[in-house]
């Protein structure tokens, strides 16, 4: 039995991690510049929120998941149960999976843009790490049957789509905010 779960627990996790990241951003701001500090703090917070949304059971106290009912592998049914098919986001869980990774992608670009020349290398590496993070979440959902979550490759595709959209948004924000011009006091 997994003793913790539900939307309330997810929200508490998001708020507590947000408070920690606020303190982190406030402490780093004078040292590295405010755009860089808030980009790092926001990126860390977005990753913590994703973990809360995906690794905490959706229902409080989901009970016991028997070994017989546990999935042995991830679902490779691309598109999953969504009736609209692959790459078409009709709402619900698939849209949430996509939207959840948009801030991470955007904040990654803002953070990497602090070092303008290195951003060309840092952004693809960071995007690859976001893909690995999504895959690790799905693997964790597979291995920890007690959290009553399902491992599905469609979730990874939706997460990566969100991260790529976030990277594109971050590119626009970087051009507007120009974090490479930040002066440290």
């Amino acid at each position: 039995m997994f003793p913790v779960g539900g939307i309330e627990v997810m929200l508490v996790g998001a708020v507590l991690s947000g408070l920690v990241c606020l303190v982190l951003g406030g402490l780093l701001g004078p040292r590295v510049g405010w755009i860089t500090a808030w980009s790092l703090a926001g990126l860390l917070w977005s990753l913590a929120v994703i973990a809360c949304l995906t690794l905490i059971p959706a229902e409080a106290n989901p009970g016991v998941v028997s070994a017989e009912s546990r999935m042995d592998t991830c679902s490779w049914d691309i598109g999953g149960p969504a009736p609209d098919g692959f790459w078409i986001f009709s709402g619900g869980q698939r849209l949430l999976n996509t939207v959840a990774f948009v801030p991470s992608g955007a904040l990654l670009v803002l953070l990497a843009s602090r070092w303008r020349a290195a951003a060309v290398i840092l952004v693809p590496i960071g995007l690859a790490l976001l893909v690995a993070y999504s895959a690790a979440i799905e693997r964790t959902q597979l291995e920890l049957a007690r959290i009553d979550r399902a491992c599905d490759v469609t979730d990874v595709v939706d997460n990566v789509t969100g991260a790529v959209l976030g990277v594109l948004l971050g590119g626009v924000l970087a051009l507007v905010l120009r974090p490479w011009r930040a002066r440290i006091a």
Side-chain angles (χ1 to χ4, degrees), residues 27-144:
L27 292 174
L28 288 177
R31 291 173 176 80
V32 298
W34 291 105
I35 294 173
T36 301
W38 292 121
S39 296
L40 175 61
L43 177 60
L44 293 175
W45 184 56
S46 71
L47 295 174
V49 168
I50 290 168
C52 288
L53 289 174
T54 58
L55 297 176
I56 294 176
E59 302 294 325
N61 197 3
V64 175
V65 177
S66 65
E68 294 80 29
S69 65
R70 178 179 176 263
M71 292 174 56
D72 293 329
T73 63
C74 284
S75 169
W76 286 88
D77 180 19
I78 301 292
D84 295 333
F86 194 53
W87 291 108
I88 300 171
F89 302 109
S90 61
Q93 181 179 344
R94 295 209 46 216
L95 183 61
L96 177 63
N97 285 337
T98 302
V99 170
F101 271 76
V102 170
S104 300
L107 292 165
L108 164 71
V109 172
L110 282 177
L111 179 61
S113 294
R114 173 68 173 93
W115 302 277
R116 192 173 176 180
V120 175
I121 295 169
L122 294 175
V123 171
I125 290 171
L127 187 57
L129 290 172
L130 287 175
V131 171
Y133 185 61
S134 176
I137 286 170
E138 294 303 315
R139 180 66 184 198
T140 302
Q141 289 176 343
L142 177 66
E143 295 299 326
L144 298 179

